[in-house]
Amino acid sequence: MVKSGKLRSGTGSKLKRWKKGHSSDSNPQTSRFRQAAKSRYFSRPSEKSDLTVDALKLHNELQAGPLEITGSRKDACMEEDAGEAFSDRTSGTFLSGLSDCSNLTFRKVQRYWESNSAAHKEICAVLAAVTEVIRGQGGKETETEYFAALMTTLEVVDSAESQAAVAYLLNLVMKRVPTPVLMSKFSDTTKALMDVMSKQATSDTASALRWILSCLATLLRKQDVSVWTYPSTLQAYHGLLSFTVHSRPKVRKAAQQGVCSILRGSDFLFTDNAPTHHPAAVTTAKFCMKEMEQAGGSKEDTTTLHVLGLLKELMGTFPLGSVKSCCETLLRVMTLSHVLVTASAMQAFHRLFSGKPNASTLSPELNAQIITALYDYLPSENDLQPLLAWLAVMEKAHVHLSGLQSSLSLGHLPRLFSAAMSCLLSPHTQVVSAAANTLKTLLTECVAPYMEEMGMITATASAGNPSYVCKMFRIVEEGLSYRFHASWPFVLQVLGCFYRVAGKRAHPIMTKSLQSLADLRTTPHFPFSGELDLAVGGAVESMGPEVVLGAVPLNITGYEDDLEFPRSWLIPVIRDHVKNTHLGFFATYFLPLASTLKQRAEELEQAGQKLEAKVYQTLQLQIWTMLPSFCTCPVDLLASFKGIARVLGMAINERADLRLIVCQALRTIINKSCSTEEEKAEMGRFAKNFLPIFFNVYSQQPAAGESGTYRMAILDTIKVYLTVTPTEMVCTFLQKATDRLSSTDSNEFTRLSMMDLVVAMAPSVDEATMTKTFELIKPYLETKDPGMQKKAYRVLEEMCGGERDECRAFVVANLETLKVVLLETLKNASSPAKRPRLKCLIHIVKRLGEEHKDFITALLPEVIICTKEVSVGARKNAYSLLVEIGNAFIRFCGNTKDALEQYMILVFAGLTGSVTMITCTVLALTRLVFEYKDAIDVTTREQLLHNICLLLSSRTREIVKASLGFIKVILFIMDAKTLASHVTVMMEGVGSIKDDVRRHFRTKLKNIFTKFIRKFGFELVKSMLPAEHHKVLANIRKAEARTKRRKQASEQHEDSDSDQEAPKAKSQSIEDILAESDSDLSEDEGKGGKAQKKAGKPQKGRAWLKEGEEDDPLNFLDSKVSQRVLATNPAMKKSAKVEHGFKVTSDGRLIIREDDEEDVKDKDGGEMKDILEEAGVKSKKTQKRKFRDDNFDEDMDIEPQLKYKAGGSGIHRPLGGRDDMGAEYKSKKGKGDVKKQGKLDPYAYIPLKKDQLNRRKRAKLQGQFKGMVRGAQKGALSGRKMQKRKGKA
């Protein structure tokens, strides 16, 4: 935009300026406008005037403001009774045809009637007139009628403005006219449009031209393919084509869009027997080439650029011969080294390849020829934007060629790899990154799909596709040489991608590079270890660990090892990347090695070499950590698992340190690797071996001081293993567990453990065993031991909630018994057992029918009371059960509103109970109102709201707290219009809160008042509340205003920051890449910037010549001289990096860490979370410990690891005792202090404070000094005595 008060840049030279000293002349010499005005007043016009009586009348009506009434009146006296005298026809306005036009095509025009633009008013007037004509003839206002009327009008009107208005409306309506109409009226319509077009082309005003061109394009697009054989059709098309290089941008754009729509979107191209190319495609290509050749690539002539812009869109529609000719022309104009022409030609090539045309447009041979030719236009590695564009075009060209003919594509890839690798030497990071991304894309798109066909690739491959892969890898491998050291992160990324793509088939040629990487990794202070590890990880993924370790051995034997273990970095790399490999390799190589290292560690421990023993112990543990990765989809599971199963069983039984790893490995195999029935059966075959080991380990009480964390992993593994265990075997194990549970010899720990195992196995047995288990656990549902009672309910929960058919059959068969048992055990249910009991009830209620309504009614009081349970899980299940009961009532009744009314009446009864019952009932109602907000009847909701508002006057804080939560939810779910009728009641309720309760809930009340003010305004809320609340309301208003100001300021600050720093987004298209190629200005030109601004806009298409290196002259006859013509100023300094506040890795990735608590909380998100907590949908964060799993048993003897660390004062102080001052200076060998290098001397340093000058505080300070002096004297005395003793000795 042009700044106000200033002229647009470049207009200064065009304006006629006053001569110096004549700016105040009242009668200037030039007065052509005055002369023109005089001529109109005092002389008759020589030509035929457009000023008619009708036109003047229309002008007056347009200028009159309010639309006047037209229509004949029989007598002027009847004006008083106009309402009675007017017929339906005469009561219209002059724009009636516009305002009530029923055709949807012109709805866009109806917005123009209030516009001040003369062109818009003309369009409205024409539409109104045409509509009136159609109505006068009894038309139905169809598109065809409008088309006919507008075509007639176009031939009649003479003025340019009217023609433009008619052409605009015609352009709108022709897109919706039926195709047969346009086909039948083709010749007449074409002639009329061509006549107007020829007149407009020669006149000064061409306002109608772009709409006429659009109409002509629409007309041609609708014609049949046979019409294109007529010369008249081609003549009309050539007329349209000639305007594609017009000097006016809008006309040129309309013509180009029209040509594109014809060649790409003609109707006959989408029929069954459609031709492969449009009949006019060849003539269009010839026109484009002719225009470019006539322009001759002159810098001043922009025709070449206009044609290139058209070709960019159309080349994909041309036949093969035309595409070849156009490409030759493009390559010729690129030799001119004109920056903008070259950039536009590259855009055309990019669009051609991106469109992925078929072989009839772009054959593999032509594609390959273009690729070869483009190497002559390779920009310099210092030329940023053109080089990025060249890489993008070559990438698309090779990807497209790969889809057409893979062998030809692979043959051309080595040369591009060589060029891209040389780009890695560029000083521009963008070029290096783009080159690396290009190489990775080529490997993924052009090499990876064809690797399986090649077979094994060796270094001796001399011909065909394998030889091309060898060449490419050697080129990339060259990047590990020192001259590429600045780009090593990117080289390593490409190398890793190559390993992943071709490592499986080409690993014989890659072993040398792996050895080079291993040598680099052991180099001191190697900065790119992370990237190197990822590259080697790619090799591990594709080649497998066996091949990688064959090339780069671990060099760890257990005896006579280098204790630095320089290759130990391979262990975590293999652990993180190995998958789909041979499990047998782990059994034959790593397991014996781990055993040797373990044995060596024990020997060293006995020999007293504890440090060395610790190193070997750590190494063998690291080797074991690879086991879960080897178990991820192994290819030889059926053959290898039986060889490793016994070792794993022994490890679980005997090695406590390996239990977590082995359990994870077994879970991984079952969850991720058992895809076939054979594999599941193979794992199930070993259930009889593994499950008894798991049961024994789980039921053993950990020794004193031993951690029991492995027990949860064991239990999880048991649950997973049961999924592949035969049902008969599970029934047998369950029988043994229940026998041991009822045994009198078992202690409490064993009984709890057995109950956990029963919980795990219960849903996996048959129906008969389930019923038997239910009978067994029934006594435990009434036991006094809360732990056992809870676990008994967990067994019941698992059986009732299982997805298997046996579980459903068990519930149906034992439904009556379950109902009786659950009602009888209600009074004995302990608090810890509430969560599984409620979960069990949820599963049962889902399966109940209408005949069980009494059972649900009997449950309701217990469920309501449980909304105030201590356990978060119990509260959550209580709320879920309330909703489930509501769904059951809806299921019984059918009508949602009636069902909810019955349900609400049952819940309302709780409002007459005790304080706790009232509180719980309000919480339950809050959840139900939130859940069924759209289904509850209005009267029921009003009654409920009135009752809750009455409860606000209670003296009990709990009741008021629950009621305020209800109010908060109501404010959220009800719209302002409905809420307005209840606002008085709510305000009276809030105002009636007792003073002590109000003070206690001041924060909640402030939150509610804020919501009221946002919905109804400050003044209304203030008028409805008592005076004691007014101070809070004023504070809220100030806070809201402050927040609003800060938000506006921060938005303005962000806008200004983004304007100043706006980092350029990663270019997605070649247009973005080349957008900056003409915008660089040198520093030297910057000095003359002011002068340049005065002269006008800086010239586009600037180019720089790069001089020869050192003393070498610039040779213009060199074949690569085009690389010396730069679009980027070589002297331009790199722009300063924008600080974004994040750390960056060596390969350019951002490191973003999320804090536990964000500094700024999202207001809307926080408010929604608050509402969900009040409604019981989400549990409030009141618990200090969070457990991830709902099924976690509090009775498990596992202490969770707490993240809290003591620090601070008071109750947060650390309890370990305070460190002595100066303890770090104490001598280890004797008494006294010693001096430490790099630290202060060991003296007592007294800080100098301003308080020391205060006379009143001087006495206190003197006492401190005296204490220090006494301490120093005491220390000096003991030191002298020691010296004397030493002297005597």
Side-chain angles (χ1 to χ4, degrees):
M1 287 178 64
V2 180
K3 291 182 180 178
S4 58
K6 291 187 179 181
L7 292 171
R8 185 179 293 162
S9 174
T11 54
S13 58
K14 298 177 186 175
L15 297 175
K16 289 186 178 179
R17 299 185 176 278
W18 298 110
K19 291 181 180 178
K20 193 170 183 180
H22 291 271
S23 60
S24 60
D25 288 357
S26 59
N27 293 311
Q29 293 176 353
T30 55
S31 56
R32 63 192 178 102
F33 294 108
R34 294 188 184 188
Q35 294 299 329
K38 285 179 185 178
S39 68
R40 288 178 184 171
Y41 279 109
F42 303 113
S43 63
R44 303 289 298 172
S46 56
E47 302 175 5
K48 183 183 176 183
S49 174
D50 290 331
L51 184 63
T52 61
V53 175
D54 291 336
L56 184 63
K57 187 178 179 184
L58 177 63
H59 172 75
N60 291 337
E61 288 172 337
L62 285 170
Q63 300 296 324
L67 303 178
E68 297 177 3
I69 297 173
T70 61
S72 57
R73 299 179 185 180
K74 293 183 179 176
D75 198 344
C77 328
M78 295 180 68
E79 286 186 5
E80 298 295 326
D81 302 323
E84 298 170 12
F86 287 166
S87 68
D88 197 33
R89 178 79 190 140
T90 56
S91 64
T93 67
F94 91 102
L95 286 183
S96 292
L98 169 68
S99 59
D100 59 354
C101 175
S102 61
N103 197 305
L104 294 177
T105 306
F106 303 110
R107 60 188 167 191
K108 182 180 179 182
V109 179
Q110 290 170 344
R111 300 198 302 266
Y112 291 164
W113 77 278
E114 288 184 335
S115 172
N116 292 324
S117 167
H120 286 175
K121 288 182 177 178
E122 185 72 23
I123 290 169
C124 293
V126 170
L127 178 59
V130 170
T131 306
E132 288 296 316
V133 169
I134 292 171
R135 286 177 182 169
Q137 294 177 357
K140 296 181 181 179
E141 299 183 41
T142 63
E143 284 84 2
T144 307
E145 290 170 342
Y146 274 106
F147 169 63
L150 287 168
M151 284 304 301
T152 308
T153 310
L154 185 67
E155 294 170 359
V156 173
V157 294
D158 293 327
S159 66
E161 292 80 7
S162 299
Q163 277 185 342
V166 175
Y168 173 75
L169 294 170
L170 201 56
N171 168 56
L172 289 178
V173 80
M174 278 183 73
K175 293 170 184 174
R176 299 171 69 101
V177 173
T179 302
V181 175
L182 292 178
M183 292 172 73
S184 63
K185 295 292 180 183
F186 173 63
S187 57
D188 297 337
T189 309
T190 306
K191 184 177 179 301
L193 291 176
M194 291 293 286
D195 289 343
V196 177
M197 194 166 70
S198 57
K199 287 179 186 176
Q200 290 274 327
T202 54
S203 66
D204 293 335
T205 58
S207 53
L209 194 53
R210 63 172 171 151
W211 307 122
I212 294 292
L213 291 171
S214 182
C215 291
L216 186 59
T218 304
L219 185 66
L220 289 169
R221 189 159 54 88
K222 298 287 183 180
Q223 302 310 309
D224 193 49
V225 66
S226 58
V227 177
W228 286 92
T229 57
Y230 306 148
S232 58
T233 309
L234 290 174
Q235 184 185 357
Y237 178 72
H238 277 286
L240 174 64
L241 202 56
S242 63
F243 284 98
T244 56
V245 290
H246 198 273
S247 57
R248 296 190 178 184
K250 289 185 179 179
V251 174
R252 184 172 66 250
K253 184 180 179 184
Q256 289 191 358
Q257 285 179 341
V259 170
C260 291
S261 68
I262 291 168
L263 294 190
R264 285 180 176 276
S266 290
D267 289 355
F268 63 80
L269 291 174
F270 301 99
T271 57
D272 294 335
N273 54 350
T276 52
H277 302 284
H278 197 283
V282 178
T283 187
T284 307
K286 288 177 181 177
F287 169 80
C288 292
M289 288 185 286
K290 180 185 171 186
E291 287 292 330
M292 281 197 288
E293 285 164 2
Q294 286 179 352
S298 170
K299 271 193 178 184
E300 304 304 323
D301 194 357
T302 55
T303 306
T304 306
L305 293 173
H306 298 333
V307 176
L308 286 171
L310 181 62
L311 273 178
K312 181 174 68 173
E313 302 293 335
L314 292 181
M315 271 178 71
T317 64
F318 294 164
L320 181 59
S322 301
V323 171
K324 187 173 182 180
S325 304
C326 285
C327 289
E328 289 169 354
T329 308
L330 286 178
L331 292 168
R332 277 202 299 276
V333 298
M334 283 173 68
T335 57
L336 302 168
S337 297
H338 182 231
V339 173
L340 288 180
V341 171
T342 305
S344 298
M346 293 296 268
Q347 287 180 3
F349 279 124
H350 188 273
R351 185 64 65 89
L352 174 65
F353 294 125
S354 299
K356 296 189 176 179
N358 54 30
S360 64
T361 295
L362 185 62
S363 65
E365 293 75 20
L366 179 58
N367 193 329
Q369 288 169 6
I370 296 170
I371 287 171
T372 307
L374 283 173
Y375 282 106
D376 295 334
Y377 304 95
L378 173 62
S380 167
E381 63 188 27
N382 297 316
D383 207 2
L384 178 61
Q385 297 301 334
L387 187 52
L388 292 175
W390 187 86
L391 285 169
V393 170
M394 294 299 274
E395 178 190 313
K396 292 291 180 186
H398 282 80
V399 170
H400 183 254
L401 180 57
S402 175
L404 294 175
Q405 192 173 335
S406 60
S407 58
L408 193 58
S409 168
L410 286 167
H412 279 78
L413 277 176
R415 188 176 179 187
L416 180 56
F417 266 63
S418 181
M421 286 301 292
S422 65
C423 291
L424 294 180
L425 297 170
S426 171
H428 297 286
T429 312
Q430 283 176 277
V431 171
V432 176
S433 178
N437 288 331
T438 298
L439 289 172
K440 289 191 284 186
T441 304
L442 292 173
L443 285 168
T444 309
E445 301 283 338
C446 305
V447 180
Y450 311 105
M451 284 305 300
E452 291 295 327
E453 304 167 4
M454 295 185 199
M456 194 58 69
I457 299 172
T458 59
T460 56
S462 57
N465 294 345
S467 66
Y468 300 140
V469 175
C470 286
K471 286 179 186 175
M472 285 187 278
F473 186 75
R474 289 194 189 102
I475 290 166
V476 174
E477 193 178 14
E478 182 67 23
L480 293 177
S481 59
Y482 187 72
R483 67 193 184 107
F484 287 92
H485 74 280
S487 305
W488 269 347
F490 299 96
V491 173
L492 291 168
Q493 286 180 36
V494 177
L495 207 54
C497 184
F498 216 131
Y499 288 148
R500 285 183 180 87
V501 165
K504 190 174 181 181
R505 299 286 176 186
H507 61 79
I509 65 171
M510 296 177 170
T511 51
K512 186 182 174 185
S513 64
L514 285 171
Q515 291 163 2
S516 303
L517 290 179
D519 295 340
L520 270 178
R521 185 68 167 73
T522 53
T523 307
H525 310 298
F526 181 66
F528 309 117
S529 301
E531 290 80 1
L532 192 147
D533 288 353
L534 287 173
V536 177
V540 171
E541 278 183 32
S542 58
M543 304 177 198
E546 191 170 359
V547 176
V548 174
L549 290 174
V552 188
L554 269 178
N555 293 337
I556 300 173
T557 60
Y559 298 96
E560 298 180 1
D561 288 324
D562 178 5
L563 288 179
E564 291 293 327
F565 296 108
R567 295 277 174 84
S568 60
W569 58 273
L570 277 168
I571 295 175
V573 169
I574 293 172
R575 179 195 65 207
D576 294 340
H577 294 92
V578 70
K579 60 183 177 182
N580 302 326
T581 189
H582 293 275
L583 184 59
F585 178 65
F586 184 84
T588 56
Y589 179 79
F590 283 111
L591 276 184
L593 180 59
S595 177
T596 305
L597 294 176
K598 173 70 175 171
Q599 187 180 348
R600 181 66 176 150
E602 290 171 354
E603 290 173 4
L604 290 169
E605 183 80 32
Q606 291 170 3
Q609 299 178 356
K610 293 188 177 181
L611 182 60
E612 291 83 352
K614 185 69 176 173
V615 170
Y616 278 109
Q617 181 72 13
T618 305
L619 266 178
Q620 66 92 21
L621 275 175
Q622 283 189 337
I623 288 171
W624 272 101
T625 57
M626 290 192 281
L627 177 61
S629 301
F630 272 89
C631 291
T632 306
C633 305
V635 295
D636 59 342
L637 179 63
L638 294 173
S640 299
F641 186 72
K642 56 191 173 189
I644 201 174
R646 186 170 178 276
V647 180
L648 297 184
M650 290 174 62
I652 295 167
N653 212 5
E654 299 169 5
R655 298 278 304 275
D657 55 337
L658 298 180
R659 281 173 185 160
L660 294 175
I661 296 168
V662 176
C663 286
Q664 184 187 351
L666 288 171
R667 291 197 303 271
T668 305
I669 288 179
I670 295 169
N671 289 331
K672 297 183 179 179
S673 308
C674 289
S675 53
T676 63
E677 291 300 322
E678 292 83 6
E679 290 170 339
K680 289 179 181 176
E682 176 69 13
M683 292 300 297
R685 196 161 65 86
F686 291 94
K688 64 180 184 296
N689 306 105
F690 278 110
L691 286 176
I693 296 173
F694 285 136
F695 294 159
N696 290 335
V697 173
Y698 187 76
S699 58
Q700 288 172 5
Q701 188 165 4
E706 185 183 343
S707 172
T709 49
Y710 64 85
R711 297 184 75 241
M712 279 299 288
I714 294 282
L715 192 58
D716 285 342
T717 312
I718 290 170
K719 290 175 182 176
V720 171
Y721 218 121
L722 285 169
T723 59
V724 294
T725 307
T727 307
E728 299 80 16
M729 194 180 294
V730 180
C731 294
T732 307
F733 286 133
L734 183 60
Q735 182 62 45
K736 290 180 180 178
T738 51
D739 291 345
R740 196 169 173 192
L741 179 65
S742 53
S743 171
T744 54
D745 299 335
S746 303
N747 59 13
E748 185 183 0
F749 180 87
T750 307
R751 283 200 303 275
L752 289 171
S753 301
M754 287 301 110
M755 194 64 98
D756 286 330
L757 297 177
V758 172
V759 170
M761 288 186 280
S764 303
V765 295
D766 53 33
E767 185 188 342
T769 313
M770 280 188 194
T771 307
K772 193 175 177 183
T773 308
F774 175 50
E775 294 297 329
L776 179 76
I777 64 157
K778 216 186 283 182
Y780 292 107
L781 296 176
E782 299 185 29
T783 183
K784 299 289 184 182
D785 182 2
M788 286 299 290
Q789 190 187 68
K790 177 184 176 180
K791 290 186 190 298
Y793 275 111
R794 285 280 293 114
V795 174
L796 201 55
E797 176 195 339
E798 290 294 330
M799 291 193 294
C800 292
E803 295 296 325
R804 293 169 68 240
D805 294 334
E806 289 86 348
C807 297
R808 295 192 182 96
F810 163 75
V811 175
V812 172
N814 297 277
L815 190 56
E816 294 300 326
T817 314
L818 283 167
K819 284 166 52 180
V820 173
V821 168
L822 288 169
L823 286 176
E824 285 177 353
T825 55
L826 169 60
K827 57 182 181 294
N828 295 322
S830 62
S831 184
K834 290 287 187 184
R835 185 184 63 78
R837 175 182 166 84
L838 290 167
K839 193 78 172 176
C840 187
L841 286 169
I842 290 172
H843 295 311
I844 291 171
V845 167
K846 283 180 181 177
R847 295 187 170 91
L848 292 179
E850 190 172 359
E851 64 275 10
H852 304 287
K853 202 170 184 179
D854 296 337
F855 172 67
I856 294 177
T857 309
L859 284 179
L860 201 53
E862 178 198 0
V863 181
I864 292 173
I865 285 290
C866 284
T867 56
K868 285 287 286 179
E869 270 293 330
V870 177
S871 166
V872 177
R875 292 202 300 271
K876 185 179 175 184
N877 287 348
Y879 285 123
S880 300
L881 185 50
L882 281 169
V883 174
E884 203 53 57
I885 291 172
N887 294 338
F889 269 90
I890 295 169
R891 200 165 60 240
F892 301 157
C893 191
N895 186 348
T896 307
K897 287 195 175 180
D898 294 346
L900 289 174
E901 191 172 350
Q902 292 176 25
Y903 184 28
M904 286 292 188
I905 289 169
L906 291 175
V907 179
F908 283 162
L911 294 175
T912 60
S914 63
V915 170
T916 306
M917 192 63 189
I918 293 171
T919 307
C920 294
T921 306
V922 174
L923 291 173
L925 288 168
T926 305
R927 175 58 190 271
L928 292 174
V929 167
F930 180 83
E931 191 71 30
Y932 300 108
K933 49 183 174 286
D934 300 321
I936 295 176
D937 191 47
V938 178
T939 53
T940 309
R941 196 188 299 170
E942 287 179 4
Q943 181 188 356
L944 177 59
L945 186 59
H946 281 257
N947 287 331
I948 298 294
C949 289
L950 289 174
L951 291 175
L952 285 169
S953 58
S954 170
R955 293 186 178 278
T956 311
R957 288 178 179 177
E958 288 298 317
I959 295 176
V960 175
K961 182 181 179 181
S963 304
L964 288 174
F966 181 87
I967 297 287
K968 198 186 284 188
V969 171
I970 283 288
L971 281 170
F972 178 76
I973 63 172
M974 287 176 72
D975 58 288
K977 197 177 288 184
T978 314
L979 208 58
S981 58
H982 307 300
V983 68
T984 310
V985 179
M986 293 165 79
M987 285 299 177
E988 285 176 0
V990 171
S992 65
I993 297 175
K994 301 292 186 285
D995 287 348
D996 61 328
V997 180
R998 190 186 77 236
R999 281 192 294 273
H1000 186 76
F1001 294 119
R1002 55 187 178 277
T1003 309
K1004 264 186 182 300
L1005 282 169
K1006 190 175 180 181
N1007 193 344
I1008 290 171
F1009 289 154
T1010 305
K1011 288 178 171 59
F1012 271 117
I1013 289 170
R1014 286 177 188 166
K1015 282 184 182 286
F1016 303 109
F1018 176 79
E1019 295 301 330
L1020 179 66
V1021 175
K1022 185 178 178 182
S1023 64
M1024 289 184 170
L1025 284 173
E1028 57 263 24
H1029 294 286
H1030 290 179
K1031 195 172 181 181
V1032 179
L1033 296 178
N1035 180 262
I1036 292 170
R1037 183 163 66 171
K1038 286 181 184 176
E1040 290 283 296
R1042 192 186 309 120
T1043 306
K1044 191 175 179 182
R1045 284 196 304 272
R1046 284 178 181 168
K1047 190 176 179 182
Q1048 289 173 350
S1050 65
E1051 284 174 359
Q1052 290 173 2
H1053 181 65
E1054 284 172 10
D1055 291 343
S1056 63
D1057 284 353
S1058 62
D1059 290 343
Q1060 291 170 9
E1061 300 181 353
K1064 289 168 186 165
K1066 186 178 180 182
S1067 301
Q1068 296 298 324
S1069 65
I1070 193 163
E1071 287 86 348
D1072 301 331
I1073 292 172
L1074 290 165
E1076 305 156 8
S1077 59
D1078 61 330
S1079 61
D1080 297 326
L1081 293 173
S1082 67
E1083 290 182 342
D1084 296 336
E1085 287 167 348
K1087 296 173 185 175
K1090 292 181 181 177
Q1092 200 176 38
K1093 279 184 184 176
K1094 289 180 183 176
K1097 288 185 180 179
Q1099 281 186 337
K1100 286 192 175 182
R1102 306 181 68 84
W1104 288 266
L1105 274 176
K1106 185 183 177 186
E1107 297 296 336
E1109 301 294 335
E1110 298 179 356
D1111 297 331
D1112 295 338
L1114 180 60
N1115 182 9
F1116 284 98
L1117 297 177
D1118 187 3
S1119 60
K1120 294 186 178 180
V1121 72
S1122 63
Q1123 294 187 15
R1124 297 299 183 92
V1125 182
L1126 306 181
T1128 312
N1129 183 1
M1132 193 81 170
K1133 288 184 178 178
K1134 288 185 180 178
S1135 58
K1137 288 183 181 177
V1138 178
E1139 287 294 331
H1140 42 62
F1142 297 116
K1143 292 183 179 179
V1144 184
T1145 60
S1146 56
D1147 60 342
R1149 291 175 295 167
L1150 292 177
I1151 302 171
I1152 302 174
R1153 292 188 175 88
E1154 291 182 0
D1155 296 334
D1156 290 341
E1157 294 180 3
E1158 296 177 0
D1159 294 337
V1160 182
K1161 192 183 264 187
D1162 181 20
K1163 185 180 276 186
D1164 295 336
E1167 186 174 341
M1168 186 64 192
K1169 186 182 172 190
D1170 192 25
I1171 295 296
L1172 291 174
E1173 285 179 357
E1174 292 292 351
V1177 180
K1178 278 189 175 181
S1179 52
K1180 297 184 182 179
K1181 273 192 178 179
T1182 54
Q1183 307 305 102
K1184 289 187 178 179
R1185 303 179 184 181
K1186 288 198 302 181
F1187 298 113
R1188 285 181 236 166
D1189 190 5
D1190 272 354
N1191 296 328
F1192 183 87
D1193 283 343
E1194 290 89 339
D1195 302 319
M1196 302 281 289
D1197 295 331
I1198 301 170
E1199 294 198 8
Q1201 300 293 323
L1202 299 180
K1203 292 183 179 178
Y1204 174 74
K1205 288 185 178 179
S1209 58
I1211 61 170
H1212 301 289
R1213 70 189 184 282
L1215 299 175
R1218 191 182 296 174
D1219 292 339
D1220 292 336
M1221 288 287 289
E1224 63 269 26
Y1225 291 104
K1226 282 187 176 178
S1227 174
K1228 293 179 182 177
K1229 296 179 180 178
K1231 290 186 177 180
D1233 296 332
V1234 292
K1235 291 188 178 184
K1236 297 274 186 177
Q1237 188 175 0
K1239 289 193 174 184
L1240 298 171
D1241 286 348
Y1243 298 118
Y1245 291 91
I1246 301 163
L1248 297 175
K1249 296 180 184 176
K1250 188 173 66 174
D1251 296 343
Q1252 292 169 356
L1253 301 174
N1254 192 325
R1255 284 181 294 177
R1256 287 176 296 160
K1257 297 178 181 177
R1258 193 176 293 170
K1260 184 180 177 183
L1261 292 168
Q1262 282 176 352
Q1264 289 179 356
F1265 284 126
K1266 285 176 183 176
M1268 285 181 190
V1269 172
R1270 276 198 298 270
Q1273 288 173 346
K1274 190 176 178 182
L1277 183 63
S1278 63
R1280 279 201 299 274
K1281 287 178 180 177
M1282 284 178 67
Q1283 291 288 346
K1284 285 179 182 177
R1285 288 195 202 104
K1286 285 180 183 177
K1288 288 177 182 177

